[in-house]
Amino acid sequence: MNWEEFESKAQSCHACGLSSGRTNVVIGRGSKNQGRILFVGEGPGENEDRQGLPFVGQAGRLLDLALGALEFSPDDYYIANVVKCRPPQNREPSEEECEMCLPLLRHQFILLKPRIVVCLGSVAARNLLSKDARITAVRGEWVRKGNTLFTATYHPAALLRDESKKADFYYDLKKVRDTAAEIFKTEN
Ligand code: URA
């Protein structure tokens, strides 16, 4: 399945109840180059649902600001979520909703073949790293699965609630940038 086929399949997904409340399926944004970085958040909020793009609200602005300040190249990353439809009242997606939606993220994984996956927050960490992952315990750790390195950091929305997490968030992203630079240097 190529990107076009995948996106059209995702657009018509009704695998779980979240589909009934959506305005748009929020698939992803960023570079579709293979072998780069995949950032994974939790699920769309109100702005994302309206625009059909992930991380375009307040948390997204914080993420973009950090990636810009740390000079990540826009060619080097793609941003997606565990669930592609907005949970009502921005509640956390249930385990079942995540499970129903994960095949779409797996497909993005197949298309992107990322060398680095960054879990943004505990929903992504629980679904991609380990079932009982707690962000304070796993952030900054690196796990290799096949040809891909997985890590986690705070969800950018957590920084809006607690400014003191900002320094750790930047520190984690700096490590991602430097690790990516090492990998890309030897592969390009
Ligand atoms: N929070 C997320 O986890 N994803 C988005 O796309 C926006 C906010």
Side-chain angles (χ1 to χ4, degrees), residues 41-43 48 54-55 81 155:
E42 179 177 317
E48 290 77 19
F55 284 100
N81 283 307
H155 190 290

Side-chain angles (χ1 to χ4, degrees), residues 1 18 30 35 52 64 66 102 133 144 151 156 158-160 166 168 171:
M1 206 187 303
L18 294 183
D64 285 344
L102 276 173
R144 177 179 283 282
T151 190
L159 315 184
L160 295 169
K166 232 178 211 173
D168 285 343
Y171 178 83

Side-chain angles (χ1 to χ4, degrees), residues 84-152:
K84 310 293 194 242
C85 296
R86 182 192 181 198
Q89 280 84 49
N90 295 344
R91 67 158 169 77
E92 200 171 276
S94 68
E95 260 180 53
E96 195 191 348
E97 287 159 352
C98 292
E99 217 169 280
M100 299 307 280
C101 209
L102 276 173
L104 295 178
L105 186 60
R106 284 196 198 102
H107 229 100
Q108 289 173 300
F109 194 93
I110 290 166
L111 289 163
L112 292 164
K113 300 190 182 8
R115 293 290 275 111
I116 294 177
V117 172
V118 183
C119 301
L120 298 170
S122 57
V123 169
R126 288 202 301 268
N127 281 282
L128 304 183
L129 279 177
S130 70
K131 234 174 139 42
D132 53 1
R134 295 183 47 189
I135 209 68
T136 43
V138 299
R139 61 157 278 269
E141 302 273 306
W142 291 83
V143 178
R144 177 179 283 282
K145 297 188 192 188
N147 201 30
T148 306
L149 286 169
F150 286 74
T151 190

Side-chain angles (χ1 to χ4, degrees), residues 72-87:
F72 278 77
S73 161
D75 291 337
D76 285 342
Y77 62 88
Y78 182 90
I79 304 172
N81 283 307
V82 173
V83 298
K84 310 293 194 242
C85 296
R86 182 192 181 198

